[in-house]
Amino acid sequence: MDAFTPQQTTELVSRIGCKKAHMRLDKLWWNSFMTGPLLGFGCAVALSTETAPWYQTNAPGLIRTLGALLFPIGLVMIVLSGADLFTSNIMFMTTAFLHRRISIIDVLKNWTISFLGNLGGMLFFTLIIIGYGGVFEMEPYKTESINFATMKAVDPAWYQILLRGIGANWLVSFAVYISISSREIHSTISAIWFPTATFVALGLDHCIANMFFIPIGIWNGAPGISVGYYIWKSLIPATIGNMIGGGLFVGAVYWYLYLTGEGSVEVNFNTGGLESAMEAGGPMGHAGSHTRGQAGRGGSNGAVIEGRDPSAGEEGRERELPHSGGYMASGIGRELSAEMYGKRKGPPSEKERSPSV
């Protein structure tokens, strides 16, 4: 299986949290702001799909599931573009903090800026692009947006929204977590899609997604929902629940399972070595005169593995397939190298102090 192990994935989550903690604040703000519209597109297409009066009456579970299967479009765009989503940052920063790589100030700073940036971006998208754009001002879309906001903010009790928030970010953070374990884009998208669709199909509450669903209902005249009511009844309990779901049930749990009591975790990002099942344009093999022997690159003996044509060319020589001429090292490997983000603060653990045998 061409994927990182759960322990390596958790190590990468910790390194990503460390990287986010050192991001320039202006970049963190705008990266978070851009997340709002990206997630908003997924929210809008899900709401549009659920605008089906006959199905809402006769098959509500089916139409909710169909909308849920389209919602992950937003999270896929967020993950692939490297945008900062507050709810996934809960997992990243919790893991890095527990791993002693960042301080509590780093955590609070990241959470505050990413939350406010997501809010600003989502309100911009909701009010300017969707609201003034009149996307949901016609019937039956207008009625559906009002009914959806009422279902999210009015019908459930405060504690129910909090509990639904736990489940929502448990699934969203887990989707991001397993997407990090994959080495190529198709597996990343698949890993994100199904856990995310599950939380939407179950009607759980994600505080950033609700920044679209409820304000657009308010915009279209949802009765009994004011801004203050939305903040108290939906935003606060959903945010608390999301912090518990992503921070405790994903970040803390997998830190405990895979990083506590362990020494340094080695993560091999080389896509051209024997450790990876990926091929480079053809069957894998040591490429004669082009084999390089620098340590830390390529196969287990330090040699780089290159794709080659198994059929013999002229004079019995093998025809090597075209390649870039460089090492097949993953870009994310250079970005999340242990030298940059793999160091921990404080004294070493007992296992790290013990000499290796």
Side-chain angles (χ1 to χ4, degrees), residues 68-69 71-72 75-76 167-179 187-204 206 250:
L69 289 173
F71 177 87
L75 190 58
V76 167
N169 204 35
W170 189 340
L171 285 167
V172 170
S173 293
F174 185 75
V176 176
Y177 174 86
I178 59 175
S179 75
S187 298
T188 298
I189 293 173
S190 298
I192 293 170
W193 208 275
F194 296 101
T196 306
T198 300
F199 106 76
V200 180
L202 293 176
L204 304 178
H206 187 269
V250 182

Side-chain angles (χ1 to χ4, degrees), residues 101-140:
R101 283 177 170 162
I102 60 176
S103 68
I104 189 63
I105 300 299
D106 294 326
V107 174
L108 296 177
K109 182 172 59 177
N110 177 275
W111 286 355
T112 300
I113 295 176
S114 61
F115 180 86
L116 295 176
N118 289 174
L119 175 62
M122 186 65 86
L123 291 180
F124 166 80
F125 174 80
T126 302
L127 302 180
I128 305 301
I129 306 300
I130 302 298
Y132 280 111
V135 176
F136 291 115
E137 70 178 7
M138 302 295 292
E139 295 293 349

Side-chain angles (χ1 to χ4, degrees), residues 48-356:
S48 177
T49 303
E50 293 196 32
T51 305
W54 187 91
Y55 283 96
Q56 291 289 0
T57 302
N58 298 281
L62 176 61
I63 195 62
R64 177 192 279 184
T65 301
L66 290 176
L69 289 173
L70 295 176
F71 177 87
I73 293 170
L75 190 58
V76 167
M77 291 190 292
I78 289 169
V79 172
L80 296 185
S81 66
D84 275 277
L85 178 64
F86 166 73
T87 50
S88 59
N89 281 359
I90 295 294
M91 171 191 66
F92 289 128
M93 306 308 287
T94 298
T95 305
F97 172 73
L98 293 174
H99 207 190
R100 304 199 314 272
R101 283 177 170 162
I102 60 176
S103 68
I104 189 63
I105 300 299
D106 294 326
V107 174
L108 296 177
K109 182 172 59 177
N110 177 275
W111 286 355
T112 300
I113 295 176
S114 61
F115 180 86
L116 295 176
N118 289 174
L119 175 62
M122 186 65 86
L123 291 180
F124 166 80
F125 174 80
T126 302
L127 302 180
I128 305 301
I129 306 300
I130 302 298
Y132 280 111
V135 176
F136 291 115
E137 70 178 7
M138 302 295 292
E139 295 293 349
Y141 299 102
K142 182 176 181 179
T143 298
E144 177 59 24
S145 68
I146 293 173
N147 292 340
F148 201 93
T150 301
M151 179 188 69
K152 283 289 185 182
V154 178
D155 294 345
W158 198 94
Y159 78 91
Q160 290 177 319
I161 296 176
L162 185 147
L163 294 174
R164 295 178 187 184
I166 294 175
N169 204 35
W170 189 340
L171 285 167
V172 170
S173 293
F174 185 75
V176 176
Y177 174 86
I178 59 175
S179 75
I180 294 170
S181 70
S182 56
R183 291 179 181 263
E184 41 83 27
I185 194 169
H186 300 92
S187 298
T188 298
I189 293 173
S190 298
I192 293 170
W193 208 275
F194 296 101
T196 306
T198 300
F199 106 76
V200 180
L202 293 176
L204 304 178
D205 282 280
H206 187 269
C207 66
I208 310 301
N210 284 356
M211 291 175 185
F212 171 84
F213 291 125
I214 298 175
I216 195 61
I218 296 174
W219 176 272
N220 284 329
I225 307 178
S226 63
V227 173
Y229 183 90
Y230 157 60
I231 293 173
W232 164 249
K233 184 67 184 297
S234 175
L235 184 61
I236 292 176
T239 302
I240 295 173
N242 289 170
M243 294 178 75
I244 296 171
L248 177 61
F249 289 102
V250 182
V253 165
Y254 292 113
W255 163 79
Y256 171 75
L257 290 175
Y258 297 116
L259 297 182
T260 55
E262 301 290 337
S264 59
V265 179
E266 182 180 352
V267 183
N268 183 9
F269 296 97
N270 184 11
T271 61
L274 294 176
E275 297 84 351
S276 171
M278 297 178 67
E279 292 189 352
M284 304 303 294
H286 291 274
S289 61
H290 285 80
T291 298
R292 301 173 177 86
Q294 294 186 15
R297 307 269 189 162
S300 57
N301 65 346
V304 169
I305 310 301
E306 298 174 349
R308 67 183 184 185
D309 188 339
S311 62
E314 296 180 1
E315 300 179 0
R317 294 177 298 179
E318 293 175 333
R319 300 194 306 271
E320 294 182 7
L321 299 180
H323 60 85
S324 64
Y327 295 111
M328 291 159 45
S330 166
I332 195 173
R334 293 187 292 270
E335 186 176 349
L336 296 176
S337 64
E339 289 78 7
M340 292 185 67
Y341 300 111
K343 296 181 174 62
R344 286 191 275 175
K345 297 180 179 180
S349 65
E350 186 65 30
K351 186 168 183 177
E352 289 173 319
R353 286 194 294 266
S354 302
S356 57

